[in-house]
Amino acid sequence: MLDRLIQQSILQVLQPRFDPTFSEHSYGFRPGRNAHQAVRAAQGHVQEGKRIVVDADLEQFFDRVNHDVLMGRVAQRLADRRLLSLIRRYLNAGMMQQGVVRERDEGTPQGSPLSPLLANVLLDEVDRALEARGLAFVRYADDLNIYVRSWRAGRDAMETLRRLYGRLRLRLNEQKSAVARVWSRTFLGYSFWAAPGRTVKPRIGSEALNAMKHRVRTITARTRGRSMTAVISELRRYLTGWKAYFQLAESPQILGECDEWIRHRLRALQLKQWKRGPVIYRELRRLGAPEWLARATAAGRRRRWFTAAVGLNSAMPARYYDQLGVPRMGPGPLTF
C-alpha cells in the first residue's frame, strides 16, 4: 500500500483541484465545511415545509466502491497519468486476511486520508443529478437525506436514488433506508421537532442519546474499582466532546434530565467507594449534611441507588460537581 506520506501528498495536490467542483449540498470531509452546517441546511429544508424525508443509507459504502467506476470518475477530472497510476495502486493494494495479503477490486482503505476525497468524487455525480431534478437534499459523506413535501415525491426520489446509485454499482441498504416523516428519522445524530410557532428546531436523536448513556454507565460503573478523580477525568473528556458536537440541540429539558441522571450515578458511585457506614457518616458530615441525613444514609448504605436519589442531592448538589469539573449538558446553572 502507498505510504501514508505519499497519500497525504496526493491529497494536498488533488483537494484544491477537486473540492471547488463539488456540489454546494455536500458537507463531509471538505475544507471549511462540517456536520453542523449540514444539520443547519437540513433544518432549513424542513422549516420550508418539506416534512417528508428520503433517508438513504448505502450498504457498506467504503467496502463496496468499485475501482473501475471510481477511476473513471477521477479520470474525468484529472489528466495527470502519473497521479492516476498512483491512485490506482492505492486502491488495488492488497489487504491482510488471516495472515495472507489478498488483492481486491473494490473498496477503499478506511482511515486513509485519500478515501473521503475519492468518495466525494464518486458521489458528486449523484449530487449533480439531484440538483438537476430540483430536489432539496443534504449529503455528508455517504449519508444523504432528500426533503420533499409529499409521500409520492418521496417514493419517486427513492427510486431515482436506486437508479443513480446503480450506475455507480452501489446499493442501498433497504432495511435502513426509508421514506418517512422527518420527525421520526435522524441525520448525523440529530433529529428535528416543531416548537411553538411552527419553528423547526434540532434535538439529539434517541440513538445518540442512548449511546451517550451507555458510555456514561460504563465510565461510572461501580465495579471498575477506580478513584472518583479518575472517573470524573474520563467523564469530563467524553462529555466535553459530546456536548461540543451536539451544541446545536435545542432540548434543554432532556439535557437537564441527563445532568441529574449523571450526578445521581456519581453519588451512588461515591457511596460504593466509601463502603462502610462510619465512613459515609463522616464524609457526609464533612460536606455539611445534617446529622439525621448522614445517619440515615449510612444506615441505608446497601441501597445505594435509592439513597443517592433521596438524600444526597443536598449534600452533593450540582455546584459540588461543578467544582469537581463535571461538565453540564444543559444550559445555565441547574440546582435541585
Side-chain angles (χ1 to χ4, degrees), residues 102-134:
R102 301 182 184 277
E103 293 186 356
R104 59 184 178 184
D105 58 6
E106 65 177 6
T108 62
Q110 297 208 31
S112 164
L114 265 179
S115 291
L117 177 65
L118 296 178
N120 277 332
V121 170
L122 185 65
L123 295 176
D124 189 62
E125 180 174 316
V126 175
D127 295 344
R128 296 304 181 182
L130 296 179
E131 287 178 350
R133 289 165 172 77

Side-chain angles (χ1 to χ4, degrees), residues 67-98:
H67 292 176
D68 291 334
V69 174
L70 174 57
M71 288 306 302
R73 272 48 178 192
V74 173
Q76 293 173 4
R77 298 167 180 262
L78 181 67
D80 190 321
R81 292 190 176 184
R82 181 172 175 273
L83 279 177
L84 288 172
S85 176
L86 285 173
I87 294 171
R88 172 66 81 168
R89 283 176 54 195
Y90 156 78
L91 291 173
N92 289 344
M95 59 182 176
M96 189 74 69
Q97 290 184 344
Q98 298 180 341

Side-chain angles (χ1 to χ4, degrees), residues 5-221:
L5 289 177
I6 298 177
Q7 296 176 40
Q8 195 67 46
S9 298
I10 295 173
L11 178 65
Q12 291 174 356
V13 172
L14 298 185
Q15 187 90 56
R17 296 188 191 183
F18 289 175
D19 192 79
T21 68
F22 294 151
S23 167
E24 64 176 304
H25 304 289
S26 166
Y27 292 87
F29 305 107
R30 299 183 60 187
R33 290 178 165 244
N34 55 49
H36 287 168
Q37 293 172 339
V39 172
R40 287 300 192 198
Q43 180 184 0
H45 294 317
V46 180
Q47 186 64 66
E48 291 172 356
K50 300 178 177 69
R51 305 296 171 86
I52 303 298
V53 61
V54 181
D55 188 353
D57 184 274
L58 282 170
E59 189 175 86
Q60 297 179 315
F61 171 70
F62 285 98
D63 294 330
R64 293 287 178 86
V65 171
N66 182 277
H67 292 176
D68 291 334
V69 174
L70 174 57
M71 288 306 302
R73 272 48 178 192
V74 173
Q76 293 173 4
R77 298 167 180 262
L78 181 67
D80 190 321
R81 292 190 176 184
R82 181 172 175 273
L83 279 177
L84 288 172
S85 176
L86 285 173
I87 294 171
R88 172 66 81 168
R89 283 176 54 195
Y90 156 78
L91 291 173
N92 289 344
M95 59 182 176
M96 189 74 69
Q97 290 184 344
Q98 298 180 341
V100 179
V101 176
R102 301 182 184 277
E103 293 186 356
R104 59 184 178 184
D105 58 6
E106 65 177 6
T108 62
Q110 297 208 31
S112 164
L114 265 179
S115 291
L117 177 65
L118 296 178
N120 277 332
V121 170
L122 185 65
L123 295 176
D124 189 62
E125 180 174 316
V126 175
D127 295 344
R128 296 304 181 182
L130 296 179
E131 287 178 350
R133 289 165 172 77
L135 291 169
F137 70 96
V138 182
R139 181 174 67 82
Y140 188 93
D142 58 327
D143 288 328
L144 173 69
N145 276 10
I146 302 174
Y147 298 90
V148 296
R149 297 179 184 273
S150 69
W151 292 100
R152 179 176 179 179
R155 289 190 290 269
D156 290 345
M158 184 66 86
E159 287 302 316
T160 296
L161 278 181
R162 288 192 181 95
R163 291 195 301 272
L164 293 173
Y165 285 138
R167 294 175 189 172
L168 302 177
R169 300 189 191 179
L170 298 172
R171 293 198 301 267
L172 284 175
N173 185 325
E174 298 294 345
Q175 293 184 336
K176 294 184 178 181
S177 300
V179 178
R181 293 195 181 278
V182 70
W183 322 116
S184 66
R185 307 295 289 188
T186 61
F187 181 57
L188 301 179
Y190 284 87
S191 61
F192 299 104
W193 63 289
R198 295 187 175 182
T199 301
V200 174
K201 295 185 177 181
R203 63 183 173 189
I204 303 164
S206 58
E207 290 184 7
L209 199 61
N210 290 337
M212 180 273 288
K213 289 185 174 182
H214 177 76
R215 179 67 180 276
V216 170
R217 286 190 186 97
T218 300
I219 295 172
T220 60

